Amino acid sequence: MSTEKLPTGNLPTENLSTGNLPSQNAPARVIDGRAIADAALSDLSVRTRQFRDETGHVPCLAAVIVGADPASKAYVRMKANRSVAVGMTSRTVELPVSTTTEELVDELRALSEDPVVDGILLQHPVPVHIDERVAFDAISADKDVDGVTSASFAAMALNGGGFESCTPSGILRLLDATGVELSGKHAVVVGRSPILGLPMGMLLLRRDATVTYCHSRTVDLAAHVGTADVVIAAVGVPELVKGSWIKPGAVVIDAGYNAGNVGDVEYGAALTRAGAITPVPGGVGPMTVAVLLEQTLAAAVRATEVRAYSENHDKRGGPNR
């Protein structure tokens, strides 16, 4: 989707060209994802209120969760609270762990057809017996504000107007707010999941970065990471990326979150080598939510425009009048 970007004019920025980052002996700049996301959400709150006043419609985000995983439930609850905080409404659909793929698909299709709902989020992961890809693709592309459908991925990769995957999009906004120049730089993405690693690489390619994907079968991961100007760790393995692997001055984005508030990067050791680094928590997570809500507003705006066009078209009697 061609989405309305999060505002950057009032965000804290600092130019961090990777050719001129701190040396190995200087501590990295910690990228404050909470502060950057708070600035974006503040602006989003204003735009949401303006939209509501102009149209009478309150944007609505529906979150679907299957099972009773405490972490997933807490995450959905946090997103719902953020929705309300920026002036949107939130609907949570809780389904039992015994839910089948077919039952979940039916629920997602019903939400896709509900005119009150503007955006749909299927909380990941779902129970192992559910075909997650089939479930994701049951979400209408017009309401896929989490950017998880095959249609959204294709549109995003080809710059064709699909909703962007929220975490990769949020990572780009962190890099932008930090002043990192991506064009011509070597970015290593560690992880290849269809909702994080794969779209991350596509978005980096669109910024003219040279992208290397690494994964569980990559030989000599340390050597690949050591050549990167930008490292995106998104594999879900605690401290897989060692601090000693980091090229001095590189920018490190840790998209992992593991038990005990541990990321996918060996944070303490990386802090002494990187030029800039995201903490866990407080780095990528807040921006993921900010993008999700920003895209919910974008979906509501589009739906309102489509309805207005359709109503105007009907009043004129259609093209054959």
Side-chain angles (χ1 to χ4, degrees), residues 17-294:
S17 166
T18 52
N20 189 32
L21 285 171
S23 69
Q24 178 177 346
N25 296 322
R29 176 191 173 189
V30 177
I31 302 172
D32 190 343
R34 286 196 179 99
I36 298 170
D38 285 348
L41 289 171
S42 177
D43 178 84
L44 180 61
S45 179
V46 172
R47 291 189 287 120
T48 300
R49 184 173 63 252
Q50 291 173 340
F51 172 77
R52 186 180 63 227
D53 291 345
E54 292 171 2
T55 66
H57 177 72
V58 180
C60 175
L61 173 66
V64 179
I65 181 170
V66 183
D69 176 68
S72 292
K73 292 187 75 170
Y75 198 44
V76 167
R77 187 165 54 249
M78 180 268 292
K79 290 174 181 176
N81 291 339
R82 292 285 191 278
S83 300
V84 173
V86 299
M88 300 182 184
T89 59
S90 175
R91 182 188 302 181
T92 300
V93 178
E94 297 187 22
L95 301 175
V97 71
S98 60
T99 300
T100 65
T101 299
E102 293 74 19
E103 290 169 337
L104 178 55
V105 164
D106 288 344
E107 185 67 44
L108 293 168
R109 286 177 176 166
L111 290 171
S112 294
E113 294 171 2
D114 188 339
V116 174
V117 174
D118 298 294
I120 301 171
L121 164 74
L122 173 59
Q123 181 60 35
H124 170 87
V126 294
V128 294
H129 66 274
I130 290 177
D131 188 326
E132 188 173 71
R133 175 47 49 197
V134 170
F136 279 151
D137 285 342
I139 300 171
S140 167
D142 293 334
K143 298 186 179 184
D144 177 27
V145 294
D146 202 21
V148 295
T149 65
S150 298
S152 292
F153 178 82
M156 178 205 65
L158 299 172
N159 201 18
F163 282 108
E164 294 178 355
S165 299
C166 285
T167 297
S169 186
I171 288 171
L172 277 191
R173 287 164 169 83
L174 288 176
L175 293 171
D176 288 343
T178 308
V180 176
E181 175 56 56
L182 291 170
S183 180
K185 297 300 188 295
H186 181 206
V188 169
V189 179
V190 185
R192 53 178 172 176
S193 83
I195 61 175
L196 210 175
L198 285 181
M200 185 75 255
M202 294 298 103
L203 291 176
L204 289 165
L205 282 172
R206 281 173 45 184
R207 294 293 192 89
D208 297 322
T210 299
V211 179
T212 297
Y213 282 106
C214 294
H215 46 79
S216 60
R217 298 190 179 182
T218 297
V219 176
D220 200 355
L221 178 61
H224 290 283
V225 171
T227 66
D229 301 305
V230 178
V231 178
I232 312 290
V235 71
V237 177
E239 297 188 336
L240 173 69
V241 178
K242 304 306 178 186
S244 60
W245 299 354
I246 304 300
K247 176 182 175 181
V251 177
V252 179
I253 304 294
D254 192 344
Y257 184 79
N258 307 284
N261 290 337
V262 176
D264 289 354
V265 177
E266 189 184 22
Y267 182 78
L271 195 66
T272 65
R273 295 178 64 86
I277 189 170
T278 56
V280 176
V284 172
M287 285 305 302
T288 297
V289 177
V291 172
L292 175 72
L293 297 181
E294 192 265 350

